Amino acid sequence: KNEVEQSPQNLTAQEGEFITINCSYSVGISALHWLQQHPGGGIVSLFMLSSGKKKHGRLIATINIQEKHSSLHITASHPRDSAVYICAGQFNMNYGGATNKLIFGTGTLLAVQP
Amino acid sequence: NAGVMQNPRHLVRRRGQEARLRCSPMKGHSHVYWYRQLPEEGLKFMVYLQKENIIDESGMPKERFSAEFPKEGPSILRIQQVVRGDSAAYFCASSPPNFRQINYGYTFGSGTRLTVV
């Protein structure tokens, strides 16, 4: 069982829709990352958060530490938002004896249709 | 302030050759991480290094793979005697020395796409 689970795996939306991608993790983390990857492209870091909520433009990320759950929301979605969105847990210092390494979810492939 | 620089962007090697992938971290970042993305699979941790020191190599295959981050110069991921199964995208990321500096988290490079023919 992966320590980081994402849902849904695939998501198709119409332009303008509000989108939510969910992420759950099974052990304690020091931070939760949301990343974006276009097909064949590099990885862009969208958010890194350890509590509460962060907003950047039309993107909002929230995390609930008690429930070990995070969500990424996209408001007023646009075709250019089409990409793979990946959540990743940055695990505590004592986990596996290492700091800072990321454990990734399997990603959510988002397609926003015009 | 240049981001994480990886080169080459694309690398083609014949089976049995060596592949060297380079990663220069962001200015001020002394921690480097290598991740591999196999075709149709998610990202997997390989190795975590600080200058002249390997902190965690639990994700590295036992043979043929090695990584270094010398005092001067970029971090190098070296794959000896490549096989077709090594074909993947290899991403490097860097972070500042204090992981509690939450506002300055990971920065990823653009990746090196290795194709073994």
Side-chain angles (χ1 to χ4, degrees), chain A residues 33 35 37 40-43 45 48 86 90 93 98-102 104, chain B residues 31 33 35 37 43 45 48 56 58 91 99 102-103 105-106 108 110 113:
Chain A
H33 296 246
L35 311 167
Q37 185 178 29
I43 297 168
S45 181
M48 178 173 153
I86 305 165
Q90 180 173 334
M93 187 178 291
T99 63
N100 299 345
K101 74 178 183 184
L102 299 185
F104 299 87
Chain B
H31 295 202
Y33 315 82
Y35 295 92
Q37 188 174 40
L43 286 151
F45 168 78
Y48 163 35
D56 180 0
S58 59
F91 289 96
F99 75 95
I102 283 287
N103 292 330
Y106 270 57
F108 283 85
S110 299
R113 270 94 184 150

PDB file of all heavy atoms in Angstrom, chain A residues 33 35 37 40-43 45 48 86 90 93 98-102 104, chain B residues 31 33 35 37 43 45 48 56 58 91 99 102-103 105-106 108 110 113:
ATOM      1  N   HIS A  33       3.248  18.372  -0.582  1.00  0.00           N
ATOM      2  CA  HIS A  33       3.522  19.128  -1.804  1.00  0.00           C
ATOM      3  C   HIS A  33       2.471  18.824  -2.860  1.00  0.00           C
ATOM      4  O   HIS A  33       2.035  17.677  -3.000  1.00  0.00           O
ATOM      5  CB  HIS A  33       4.887  18.714  -2.382  1.00  0.00           C
ATOM      6  CG  HIS A  33       6.048  19.030  -1.499  1.00  0.00           C
ATOM      7  ND1 HIS A  33       7.019  19.959  -1.845  1.00  0.00           N
ATOM      8  CD2 HIS A  33       6.416  18.540  -0.295  1.00  0.00           C
ATOM      9  CE1 HIS A  33       7.929  20.011  -0.887  1.00  0.00           C
ATOM     10  NE2 HIS A  33       7.598  19.168   0.064  1.00  0.00           N
ATOM     11  N   LEU A  35       2.253  19.204  -7.008  1.00  0.00           N
ATOM     12  CA  LEU A  35       3.111  19.413  -8.167  1.00  0.00           C
ATOM     13  C   LEU A  35       2.280  19.301  -9.437  1.00  0.00           C
ATOM     14  O   LEU A  35       1.232  18.642  -9.455  1.00  0.00           O
ATOM     15  CB  LEU A  35       4.227  18.362  -8.201  1.00  0.00           C
ATOM     16  CG  LEU A  35       5.007  18.139  -6.904  1.00  0.00           C
ATOM     17  CD1 LEU A  35       5.850  16.869  -6.999  1.00  0.00           C
ATOM     18  CD2 LEU A  35       5.877  19.331  -6.601  1.00  0.00           C
ATOM     19  N   GLN A  37       2.647  18.504 -13.681  1.00  0.00           N
ATOM     20  CA  GLN A  37       3.515  18.008 -14.753  1.00  0.00           C
ATOM     21  C   GLN A  37       2.723  17.930 -16.038  1.00  0.00           C
ATOM     22  O   GLN A  37       1.711  17.224 -16.110  1.00  0.00           O
ATOM     23  CB  GLN A  37       4.103  16.641 -14.409  1.00  0.00           C
ATOM     24  CG  GLN A  37       5.102  16.135 -15.437  1.00  0.00           C
ATOM     25  CD  GLN A  37       5.736  14.805 -15.077  1.00  0.00           C
ATOM     26  OE1 GLN A  37       5.122  13.993 -14.389  1.00  0.00           O
ATOM     27  NE2 GLN A  37       6.957  14.573 -15.535  1.00  0.00           N
ATOM     28  N   GLY A  40       5.302  14.893 -20.958  1.00  0.00           N
ATOM     29  CA  GLY A  40       6.656  15.045 -21.484  1.00  0.00           C
ATOM     30  C   GLY A  40       7.402  16.218 -20.910  1.00  0.00           C
ATOM     31  O   GLY A  40       8.519  16.537 -21.368  1.00  0.00           O
ATOM     32  N   GLY A  41       6.806  16.882 -19.933  1.00  0.00           N
ATOM     33  CA  GLY A  41       7.408  18.106 -19.419  1.00  0.00           C
ATOM     34  C   GLY A  41       8.026  17.950 -18.059  1.00  0.00           C
ATOM     35  O   GLY A  41       8.054  16.858 -17.482  1.00  0.00           O
ATOM     36  N   GLY A  42       8.523  19.080 -17.571  1.00  0.00           N
ATOM     37  CA  GLY A  42       9.137  19.093 -16.259  1.00  0.00           C
ATOM     38  C   GLY A  42       8.094  19.145 -15.167  1.00  0.00           C
ATOM     39  O   GLY A  42       6.894  19.081 -15.398  1.00  0.00           O
ATOM     40  N   ILE A  43       8.579  19.240 -13.944  1.00  0.00           N
ATOM     41  CA  ILE A  43       7.711  19.263 -12.767  1.00  0.00           C
ATOM     42  C   ILE A  43       7.761  20.654 -12.163  1.00  0.00           C
ATOM     43  O   ILE A  43       8.847  21.189 -11.911  1.00  0.00           O
ATOM     44  CB  ILE A  43       8.186  18.221 -11.746  1.00  0.00           C
ATOM     45  CG1 ILE A  43       8.067  16.809 -12.344  1.00  0.00           C
ATOM     46  CG2 ILE A  43       7.362  18.304 -10.461  1.00  0.00           C
ATOM     47  CD1 ILE A  43       8.756  15.743 -11.538  1.00  0.00           C
ATOM     48  N   SER A  45       6.538  22.959  -8.974  1.00  0.00           N
ATOM     49  CA  SER A  45       6.028  22.932  -7.615  1.00  0.00           C
ATOM     50  C   SER A  45       4.942  23.994  -7.472  1.00  0.00           C
ATOM     51  O   SER A  45       5.184  25.176  -7.706  1.00  0.00           O
ATOM     52  CB  SER A  45       7.177  23.196  -6.629  1.00  0.00           C
ATOM     53  OG  SER A  45       6.715  23.161  -5.302  1.00  0.00           O
ATOM     54  N   MET A  48       3.575  24.010  -1.191  1.00  0.00           N
ATOM     55  CA  MET A  48       4.163  23.204  -0.135  1.00  0.00           C
ATOM     56  C   MET A  48       3.507  23.705   1.139  1.00  0.00           C
ATOM     57  O   MET A  48       3.597  24.886   1.462  1.00  0.00           O
ATOM     58  CB  MET A  48       5.670  23.387  -0.100  1.00  0.00           C
ATOM     59  CG  MET A  48       6.400  22.652   0.971  1.00  0.00           C
ATOM     60  SD  MET A  48       8.159  22.837   0.691  1.00  0.00           S
ATOM     61  CE  MET A  48       8.795  22.665   2.321  1.00  0.00           C
ATOM     62  N   ILE A  86       0.170  16.031  -9.009  1.00  0.00           N
ATOM     63  CA  ILE A  86       0.762  15.014  -8.144  1.00  0.00           C
ATOM     64  C   ILE A  86       0.874  15.558  -6.729  1.00  0.00           C
ATOM     65  O   ILE A  86       1.364  16.677  -6.528  1.00  0.00           O
ATOM     66  CB  ILE A  86       2.181  14.634  -8.638  1.00  0.00           C
ATOM     67  CG1 ILE A  86       2.148  14.200 -10.100  1.00  0.00           C
ATOM     68  CG2 ILE A  86       2.782  13.535  -7.763  1.00  0.00           C
ATOM     69  CD1 ILE A  86       3.526  14.157 -10.753  1.00  0.00           C
ATOM     70  N   GLN A  90       6.251  14.888   2.310  1.00  0.00           N
ATOM     71  CA  GLN A  90       7.633  15.051   2.768  1.00  0.00           C
ATOM     72  C   GLN A  90       7.647  14.556   4.208  1.00  0.00           C
ATOM     73  O   GLN A  90       7.034  15.160   5.083  1.00  0.00           O
ATOM     74  CB  GLN A  90       8.042  16.523   2.695  1.00  0.00           C
ATOM     75  CG  GLN A  90       9.460  16.794   3.144  1.00  0.00           C
ATOM     76  CD  GLN A  90       9.859  18.241   2.898  1.00  0.00           C
ATOM     77  OE1 GLN A  90       9.334  18.907   2.020  1.00  0.00           O
ATOM     78  NE2 GLN A  90      10.791  18.731   3.691  1.00  0.00           N
ATOM     79  N   MET A  93      11.556  13.527  10.001  1.00  0.00           N
ATOM     80  CA  MET A  93      12.966  13.187  10.096  1.00  0.00           C
ATOM     81  C   MET A  93      13.186  11.741  10.478  1.00  0.00           C
ATOM     82  O   MET A  93      14.103  11.099  10.008  1.00  0.00           O
ATOM     83  CB  MET A  93      13.639  14.108  11.107  1.00  0.00           C
ATOM     84  CG  MET A  93      15.144  13.962  11.165  1.00  0.00           C
ATOM     85  SD  MET A  93      15.889  15.110  12.323  1.00  0.00           S
ATOM     86  CE  MET A  93      15.613  16.656  11.506  1.00  0.00           C
ATOM     87  N   ALA A  98      15.507   9.146   7.217  1.00  0.00           N
ATOM     88  CA  ALA A  98      15.962  10.169   6.277  1.00  0.00           C
ATOM     89  C   ALA A  98      15.035  11.367   6.357  1.00  0.00           C
ATOM     90  O   ALA A  98      13.861  11.245   6.649  1.00  0.00           O
ATOM     91  CB  ALA A  98      15.990   9.634   4.863  1.00  0.00           C
ATOM     92  N   THR A  99      15.563  12.508   6.053  1.00  0.00           N
ATOM     93  CA  THR A  99      14.743  13.714   6.035  1.00  0.00           C
ATOM     94  C   THR A  99      14.442  14.096   4.600  1.00  0.00           C
ATOM     95  O   THR A  99      15.200  13.788   3.683  1.00  0.00           O
ATOM     96  CB  THR A  99      15.491  14.880   6.671  1.00  0.00           C
ATOM     97  OG1 THR A  99      16.653  15.167   5.901  1.00  0.00           O
ATOM     98  CG2 THR A  99      15.867  14.564   8.093  1.00  0.00           C
ATOM     99  N   ASN A 100      13.379  14.779   4.409  1.00  0.00           N
ATOM    100  CA  ASN A 100      13.107  15.538   3.206  1.00  0.00           C
ATOM    101  C   ASN A 100      12.744  14.771   1.947  1.00  0.00           C
ATOM    102  O   ASN A 100      12.333  15.374   0.978  1.00  0.00           O
ATOM    103  CB  ASN A 100      14.276  16.472   2.842  1.00  0.00           C
ATOM    104  CG  ASN A 100      14.539  17.483   3.920  1.00  0.00           C
ATOM    105  OD1 ASN A 100      13.707  17.688   4.795  1.00  0.00           O
ATOM    106  ND2 ASN A 100      15.676  18.121   3.874  1.00  0.00           N
ATOM    107  N   LYS A 101      12.921  13.478   1.912  1.00  0.00           N
ATOM    108  CA  LYS A 101      12.569  12.821   0.657  1.00  0.00           C
ATOM    109  C   LYS A 101      11.058  12.816   0.491  1.00  0.00           C
ATOM    110  O   LYS A 101      10.305  12.825   1.462  1.00  0.00           O
ATOM    111  CB  LYS A 101      13.118  11.401   0.603  1.00  0.00           C
ATOM    112  CG  LYS A 101      12.397  10.384   1.455  1.00  0.00           C
ATOM    113  CD  LYS A 101      13.038   9.021   1.253  1.00  0.00           C
ATOM    114  CE  LYS A 101      12.314   7.943   2.031  1.00  0.00           C
ATOM    115  NZ  LYS A 101      13.009   6.640   1.898  1.00  0.00           N
ATOM    116  N   LEU A 102      10.629  12.835  -0.750  1.00  0.00           N
ATOM    117  CA  LEU A 102       9.212  12.856  -1.075  1.00  0.00           C
ATOM    118  C   LEU A 102       8.735  11.471  -1.465  1.00  0.00           C
ATOM    119  O   LEU A 102       9.426  10.737  -2.171  1.00  0.00           O
ATOM    120  CB  LEU A 102       8.935  13.821  -2.222  1.00  0.00           C
ATOM    121  CG  LEU A 102       9.276  15.298  -2.013  1.00  0.00           C
ATOM    122  CD1 LEU A 102       8.812  16.122  -3.205  1.00  0.00           C
ATOM    123  CD2 LEU A 102       8.672  15.829  -0.730  1.00  0.00           C
ATOM    124  N   PHE A 104       5.517   9.984  -3.471  1.00  0.00           N
ATOM    125  CA  PHE A 104       4.551  10.548  -4.404  1.00  0.00           C
ATOM    126  C   PHE A 104       3.284   9.720  -4.499  1.00  0.00           C
ATOM    127  O   PHE A 104       3.318   8.485  -4.418  1.00  0.00           O
ATOM    128  CB  PHE A 104       5.156  10.659  -5.798  1.00  0.00           C
ATOM    129  CG  PHE A 104       6.353  11.555  -5.876  1.00  0.00           C
ATOM    130  CD1 PHE A 104       7.616  11.057  -5.607  1.00  0.00           C
ATOM    131  CD2 PHE A 104       6.218  12.893  -6.202  1.00  0.00           C
ATOM    132  CE1 PHE A 104       8.729  11.874  -5.667  1.00  0.00           C
ATOM    133  CE2 PHE A 104       7.329  13.724  -6.264  1.00  0.00           C
ATOM    134  CZ  PHE A 104       8.583  13.217  -5.990  1.00  0.00           C
TER     135      PHE A 104
ATOM    136  N   HIS B  31      21.076  20.726  -0.689  1.00  0.00           N
ATOM    137  CA  HIS B  31      20.519  19.375  -0.671  1.00  0.00           C
ATOM    138  C   HIS B  31      20.022  19.040  -2.065  1.00  0.00           C
ATOM    139  O   HIS B  31      19.340  19.850  -2.693  1.00  0.00           O
ATOM    140  CB  HIS B  31      19.359  19.274   0.310  1.00  0.00           C
ATOM    141  CG  HIS B  31      19.748  19.469   1.745  1.00  0.00           C
ATOM    142  ND1 HIS B  31      18.997  18.997   2.787  1.00  0.00           N
ATOM    143  CD2 HIS B  31      20.826  20.059   2.311  1.00  0.00           C
ATOM    144  CE1 HIS B  31      19.589  19.299   3.921  1.00  0.00           C
ATOM    145  NE2 HIS B  31      20.696  19.945   3.663  1.00  0.00           N
ATOM    146  N   TYR B  33      18.259  15.910  -4.555  1.00  0.00           N
ATOM    147  CA  TYR B  33      17.497  14.663  -4.575  1.00  0.00           C
ATOM    148  C   TYR B  33      17.356  14.213  -6.026  1.00  0.00           C
ATOM    149  O   TYR B  33      17.139  15.035  -6.912  1.00  0.00           O
ATOM    150  CB  TYR B  33      16.079  14.870  -4.004  1.00  0.00           C
ATOM    151  CG  TYR B  33      16.048  15.679  -2.735  1.00  0.00           C
ATOM    152  CD1 TYR B  33      16.098  17.071  -2.779  1.00  0.00           C
ATOM    153  CD2 TYR B  33      15.977  15.058  -1.490  1.00  0.00           C
ATOM    154  CE1 TYR B  33      16.080  17.826  -1.616  1.00  0.00           C
ATOM    155  CE2 TYR B  33      15.954  15.808  -0.325  1.00  0.00           C
ATOM    156  CZ  TYR B  33      16.008  17.192  -0.394  1.00  0.00           C
ATOM    157  OH  TYR B  33      15.996  17.945   0.756  1.00  0.00           O
ATOM    158  N   TYR B  35      15.129  11.648  -8.520  1.00  0.00           N
ATOM    159  CA  TYR B  35      13.915  10.856  -8.631  1.00  0.00           C
ATOM    160  C   TYR B  35      13.846  10.275 -10.039  1.00  0.00           C
ATOM    161  O   TYR B  35      14.322  10.878 -10.992  1.00  0.00           O
ATOM    162  CB  TYR B  35      12.667  11.723  -8.392  1.00  0.00           C
ATOM    163  CG  TYR B  35      12.563  12.268  -6.989  1.00  0.00           C
ATOM    164  CD1 TYR B  35      13.081  13.519  -6.673  1.00  0.00           C
ATOM    165  CD2 TYR B  35      11.963  11.521  -5.973  1.00  0.00           C
ATOM    166  CE1 TYR B  35      13.002  14.029  -5.376  1.00  0.00           C
ATOM    167  CE2 TYR B  35      11.880  12.015  -4.686  1.00  0.00           C
ATOM    168  CZ  TYR B  35      12.398  13.264  -4.395  1.00  0.00           C
ATOM    169  OH  TYR B  35      12.319  13.751  -3.118  1.00  0.00           O
ATOM    170  N   GLN B  37      11.268   8.522 -13.019  1.00  0.00           N
ATOM    171  CA  GLN B  37       9.892   8.311 -13.479  1.00  0.00           C
ATOM    172  C   GLN B  37       9.949   7.360 -14.657  1.00  0.00           C
ATOM    173  O   GLN B  37      10.309   7.736 -15.775  1.00  0.00           O
ATOM    174  CB  GLN B  37       9.247   9.640 -13.883  1.00  0.00           C
ATOM    175  CG  GLN B  37       7.769   9.542 -14.182  1.00  0.00           C
ATOM    176  CD  GLN B  37       7.161  10.908 -14.429  1.00  0.00           C
ATOM    177  OE1 GLN B  37       7.756  11.768 -15.065  1.00  0.00           O
ATOM    178  NE2 GLN B  37       5.961  11.133 -13.909  1.00  0.00           N
ATOM    179  N   LEU B  43       6.532   8.907  -9.895  1.00  0.00           N
ATOM    180  CA  LEU B  43       7.877   9.278  -9.486  1.00  0.00           C
ATOM    181  C   LEU B  43       8.314   8.466  -8.272  1.00  0.00           C
ATOM    182  O   LEU B  43       7.534   8.240  -7.354  1.00  0.00           O
ATOM    183  CB  LEU B  43       7.914  10.761  -9.118  1.00  0.00           C
ATOM    184  CG  LEU B  43       7.845  11.717 -10.291  1.00  0.00           C
ATOM    185  CD1 LEU B  43       7.187  13.018  -9.887  1.00  0.00           C
ATOM    186  CD2 LEU B  43       9.236  11.975 -10.845  1.00  0.00           C
ATOM    187  N   PHE B  45      11.585   7.969  -5.418  1.00  0.00           N
ATOM    188  CA  PHE B  45      12.813   8.487  -4.832  1.00  0.00           C
ATOM    189  C   PHE B  45      13.980   7.556  -5.120  1.00  0.00           C
ATOM    190  O   PHE B  45      13.838   6.330  -5.077  1.00  0.00           O
ATOM    191  CB  PHE B  45      12.615   8.615  -3.319  1.00  0.00           C
ATOM    192  CG  PHE B  45      13.871   8.864  -2.529  1.00  0.00           C
ATOM    193  CD1 PHE B  45      14.443  10.122  -2.489  1.00  0.00           C
ATOM    194  CD2 PHE B  45      14.483   7.828  -1.846  1.00  0.00           C
ATOM    195  CE1 PHE B  45      15.594  10.350  -1.755  1.00  0.00           C
ATOM    196  CE2 PHE B  45      15.635   8.046  -1.106  1.00  0.00           C
ATOM    197  CZ  PHE B  45      16.189   9.307  -1.072  1.00  0.00           C
ATOM    198  N   TYR B  48      19.326  10.885  -1.897  1.00  0.00           N
ATOM    199  CA  TYR B  48      19.339  12.217  -1.303  1.00  0.00           C
ATOM    200  C   TYR B  48      20.776  12.510  -0.880  1.00  0.00           C
ATOM    201  O   TYR B  48      21.376  11.723  -0.161  1.00  0.00           O
ATOM    202  CB  TYR B  48      18.364  12.224  -0.136  1.00  0.00           C
ATOM    203  CG  TYR B  48      18.463  13.342   0.879  1.00  0.00           C
ATOM    204  CD1 TYR B  48      18.814  14.640   0.524  1.00  0.00           C
ATOM    205  CD2 TYR B  48      18.156  13.093   2.220  1.00  0.00           C
ATOM    206  CE1 TYR B  48      18.869  15.645   1.462  1.00  0.00           C
ATOM    207  CE2 TYR B  48      18.213  14.095   3.173  1.00  0.00           C
ATOM    208  CZ  TYR B  48      18.573  15.368   2.790  1.00  0.00           C
ATOM    209  OH  TYR B  48      18.625  16.362   3.734  1.00  0.00           O
ATOM    210  N   ASP B  56      20.772   9.447   2.041  1.00  0.00           N
ATOM    211  CA  ASP B  56      19.821   8.343   1.928  1.00  0.00           C
ATOM    212  C   ASP B  56      19.868   7.817   0.502  1.00  0.00           C
ATOM    213  O   ASP B  56      19.567   8.568  -0.423  1.00  0.00           O
ATOM    214  CB  ASP B  56      18.409   8.839   2.280  1.00  0.00           C
ATOM    215  CG  ASP B  56      17.340   7.759   2.198  1.00  0.00           C
ATOM    216  OD1 ASP B  56      17.668   6.604   1.867  1.00  0.00           O
ATOM    217  OD2 ASP B  56      16.173   8.084   2.459  1.00  0.00           O
ATOM    218  N   SER B  58      18.366   4.782  -0.240  1.00  0.00           N
ATOM    219  CA  SER B  58      17.497   3.615  -0.133  1.00  0.00           C
ATOM    220  C   SER B  58      16.727   3.314  -1.411  1.00  0.00           C
ATOM    221  O   SER B  58      16.250   2.209  -1.605  1.00  0.00           O
ATOM    222  CB  SER B  58      16.506   3.806   1.028  1.00  0.00           C
ATOM    223  OG  SER B  58      15.719   4.964   0.816  1.00  0.00           O
ATOM    224  N   PHE B  91      14.642  13.047 -12.690  1.00  0.00           N
ATOM    225  CA  PHE B  91      14.473  14.413 -12.205  1.00  0.00           C
ATOM    226  C   PHE B  91      15.354  14.654 -10.992  1.00  0.00           C
ATOM    227  O   PHE B  91      15.484  13.809 -10.114  1.00  0.00           O
ATOM    228  CB  PHE B  91      13.012  14.679 -11.824  1.00  0.00           C
ATOM    229  CG  PHE B  91      12.094  14.753 -13.005  1.00  0.00           C
ATOM    230  CD1 PHE B  91      11.377  13.637 -13.416  1.00  0.00           C
ATOM    231  CD2 PHE B  91      11.937  15.946 -13.694  1.00  0.00           C
ATOM    232  CE1 PHE B  91      10.525  13.700 -14.506  1.00  0.00           C
ATOM    233  CE2 PHE B  91      11.084  16.015 -14.788  1.00  0.00           C
ATOM    234  CZ  PHE B  91      10.385  14.894 -15.195  1.00  0.00           C
ATOM    235  N   PHE B  99      15.207  22.114   6.328  1.00  0.00           N
ATOM    236  CA  PHE B  99      13.939  21.714   5.751  1.00  0.00           C
ATOM    237  C   PHE B  99      12.754  22.361   6.442  1.00  0.00           C
ATOM    238  O   PHE B  99      11.637  22.291   5.977  1.00  0.00           O
ATOM    239  CB  PHE B  99      13.779  20.186   5.779  1.00  0.00           C
ATOM    240  CG  PHE B  99      13.452  19.613   7.138  1.00  0.00           C
ATOM    241  CD1 PHE B  99      12.145  19.369   7.523  1.00  0.00           C
ATOM    242  CD2 PHE B  99      14.460  19.311   8.033  1.00  0.00           C
ATOM    243  CE1 PHE B  99      11.854  18.821   8.766  1.00  0.00           C
ATOM    244  CE2 PHE B  99      14.181  18.766   9.271  1.00  0.00           C
ATOM    245  CZ  PHE B  99      12.873  18.514   9.637  1.00  0.00           C
ATOM    246  N   ILE B 102       9.949  26.288   5.370  1.00  0.00           N
ATOM    247  CA  ILE B 102       8.826  25.789   4.585  1.00  0.00           C
ATOM    248  C   ILE B 102       8.569  26.637   3.353  1.00  0.00           C
ATOM    249  O   ILE B 102       8.132  26.132   2.333  1.00  0.00           O
ATOM    250  CB  ILE B 102       7.573  25.753   5.487  1.00  0.00           C
ATOM    251  CG1 ILE B 102       7.666  24.557   6.410  1.00  0.00           C
ATOM    252  CG2 ILE B 102       6.305  25.707   4.680  1.00  0.00           C
ATOM    253  CD1 ILE B 102       7.445  23.235   5.749  1.00  0.00           C
ATOM    254  N   ASN B 103       8.834  27.914   3.426  1.00  0.00           N
ATOM    255  CA  ASN B 103       8.512  28.764   2.290  1.00  0.00           C
ATOM    256  C   ASN B 103       9.460  28.579   1.112  1.00  0.00           C
ATOM    257  O   ASN B 103       9.234  29.145   0.050  1.00  0.00           O
ATOM    258  CB  ASN B 103       8.534  30.234   2.714  1.00  0.00           C
ATOM    259  CG  ASN B 103       7.389  30.539   3.660  1.00  0.00           C
ATOM    260  OD1 ASN B 103       6.344  29.918   3.576  1.00  0.00           O
ATOM    261  ND2 ASN B 103       7.600  31.469   4.567  1.00  0.00           N
ATOM    262  N   GLY B 105      10.567  25.571  -0.431  1.00  0.00           N
ATOM    263  CA  GLY B 105      10.624  24.132  -0.559  1.00  0.00           C
ATOM    264  C   GLY B 105      11.386  23.634  -1.758  1.00  0.00           C
ATOM    265  O   GLY B 105      12.290  24.275  -2.272  1.00  0.00           O
ATOM    266  N   TYR B 106      10.968  22.517  -2.205  1.00  0.00           N
ATOM    267  CA  TYR B 106      11.625  21.868  -3.312  1.00  0.00           C
ATOM    268  C   TYR B 106      11.534  22.688  -4.582  1.00  0.00           C
ATOM    269  O   TYR B 106      10.540  23.335  -4.862  1.00  0.00           O
ATOM    270  CB  TYR B 106      10.908  20.551  -3.598  1.00  0.00           C
ATOM    271  CG  TYR B 106      11.411  19.352  -2.864  1.00  0.00           C
ATOM    272  CD1 TYR B 106      11.457  19.309  -1.481  1.00  0.00           C
ATOM    273  CD2 TYR B 106      11.804  18.228  -3.568  1.00  0.00           C
ATOM    274  CE1 TYR B 106      11.879  18.179  -0.815  1.00  0.00           C
ATOM    275  CE2 TYR B 106      12.232  17.098  -2.912  1.00  0.00           C
ATOM    276  CZ  TYR B 106      12.266  17.077  -1.536  1.00  0.00           C
ATOM    277  OH  TYR B 106      12.682  15.947  -0.894  1.00  0.00           O
ATOM    278  N   PHE B 108      12.322  21.682  -8.668  1.00  0.00           N
ATOM    279  CA  PHE B 108      12.674  20.584  -9.562  1.00  0.00           C
ATOM    280  C   PHE B 108      13.357  21.100 -10.813  1.00  0.00           C
ATOM    281  O   PHE B 108      13.067  22.191 -11.300  1.00  0.00           O
ATOM    282  CB  PHE B 108      11.420  19.803  -9.981  1.00  0.00           C
ATOM    283  CG  PHE B 108      10.896  18.885  -8.921  1.00  0.00           C
ATOM    284  CD1 PHE B 108      10.050  19.358  -7.939  1.00  0.00           C
ATOM    285  CD2 PHE B 108      11.250  17.541  -8.901  1.00  0.00           C
ATOM    286  CE1 PHE B 108       9.568  18.519  -6.946  1.00  0.00           C
ATOM    287  CE2 PHE B 108      10.763  16.692  -7.912  1.00  0.00           C
ATOM    288  CZ  PHE B 108       9.928  17.186  -6.938  1.00  0.00           C
ATOM    289  N   SER B 110      14.219  20.292 -14.991  1.00  0.00           N
ATOM    290  CA  SER B 110      13.367  19.899 -16.123  1.00  0.00           C
ATOM    291  C   SER B 110      13.496  18.438 -16.487  1.00  0.00           C
ATOM    292  O   SER B 110      12.742  17.945 -17.314  1.00  0.00           O
ATOM    293  CB  SER B 110      13.712  20.746 -17.352  1.00  0.00           C
ATOM    294  OG  SER B 110      13.494  22.112 -17.086  1.00  0.00           O
ATOM    295  N   ARG B 113      15.702  12.929 -20.046  1.00  0.00           N
ATOM    296  CA  ARG B 113      15.035  11.752 -20.598  1.00  0.00           C
ATOM    297  C   ARG B 113      16.088  10.822 -21.178  1.00  0.00           C
ATOM    298  O   ARG B 113      16.716  11.165 -22.177  1.00  0.00           O
ATOM    299  CB  ARG B 113      14.032  12.131 -21.694  1.00  0.00           C
ATOM    300  CG  ARG B 113      12.653  12.400 -21.118  1.00  0.00           C
ATOM    301  CD  ARG B 113      12.470  13.870 -20.851  1.00  0.00           C
ATOM    302  NE  ARG B 113      11.187  14.147 -20.220  1.00  0.00           N
ATOM    303  CZ  ARG B 113      10.987  15.160 -19.390  1.00  0.00           C
ATOM    304  NH1 ARG B 113      11.961  15.993 -19.100  1.00  0.00           N
ATOM    305  NH2 ARG B 113       9.803  15.354 -18.857  1.00  0.00           N
TER     306      ARG B 113
END
